Amino acid sequence: MFNDIQHTIDLLESQKYICSREIATTIFLAMKMEKPVLIEGPAGVGKTDLGKCIASALNMDLIRLQCYEGLDEAKALYEWEYAKQLLYTQILKDKLSAVLESEQTLGAAVDKLAGEEDVFFSDRFLIPRPILKAITTPRPSVLLIDEIDKSDSEFEAFLLEVLSDFQVTIPEIGTITTDIKPFVLLTSNNAREMSDALKRRCLHLYIDFPEKELEEKIVSLKVPECGAYLIKEVVEAVHKIRKLPLKKEPSISETLDWAKAFALLGCEVLKKDVAIDTLNFLLKYEKDIELAKKHGKELFVQ
């Protein structure tokens, strides 16, 4: 566990994750309160990496559920291994015959077989998916429910039982609870609005693009070979580009790619011609690249 806010900042920095004091405060208090955190913000600002780095910093298991349209309980919670059940049925065929041979009618045989159904609906035939893994694991874990906004509202409603009571119900077995609650992080790129019911169960954290000083620190940690002066120029240019009417603003990961490109090309300062030639490392749409080229004189001094 994190001891305090500064300890949170320091441990995350040891995993090469530079966070603001607001982020550290929310994470520290959420763990103390055993509350899930709904993390919203633009793509590429480090929402998923935050979950990975928390797990790594605290030596906790990371259990990740990637959400998508059409995701249902079976993929998130558990599935029955029907092929294995069928195989066991074939192997135990002779034993079943012996158990049922004394019954005179089909109905009586079915009733007797029903009394043995726990043999086939037990843990040995259960395939745990991320949510069930997080609840049944004997070790502390981080359950990262990634891009929850891509899932359907029906799946979001299913999560409410998990987030409220940290328990799941399997009809054939019963309700499974946990003594070691996972630390739950949900990320969202704001593709759709989350329900009030979900938000009530979570602490809210919005991660935006970082201020220049913080982004410079991130680049310095991740791409130290870039050099302090060039890092300052790269981040300055990125912040100017983000102010343009782009289809997609460059994320922190794209800033890192751009800085790495300059370092590999042996640049010590931000040269306009090199910046123009490598804009595809920073921007992902051709119209955005053309717009940046059009404003090249304003964005790149040299």
Side-chain angles (χ1 to χ4, degrees), residues 232-274:
K232 191 175 184 67
E233 288 193 309
V234 167
V235 172
E236 177 71 28
V238 169
H239 278 253
K240 288 180 181 177
I241 290 172
R242 284 184 184 141
K243 293 178 181 178
L244 298 175
L246 303 171
K247 182 174 182 179
K248 180 189 178 298
E249 296 172 298
S251 67
I252 298 171
S253 61
E254 288 153 352
T255 301
L256 295 172
D257 288 341
W258 206 35
K260 184 73 172 178
F262 282 115
L264 290 172
L265 292 171
C267 297
E268 295 181 357
V269 296
L270 184 67
K271 297 180 179 179
K272 180 181 177 181
D273 58 339
V274 178

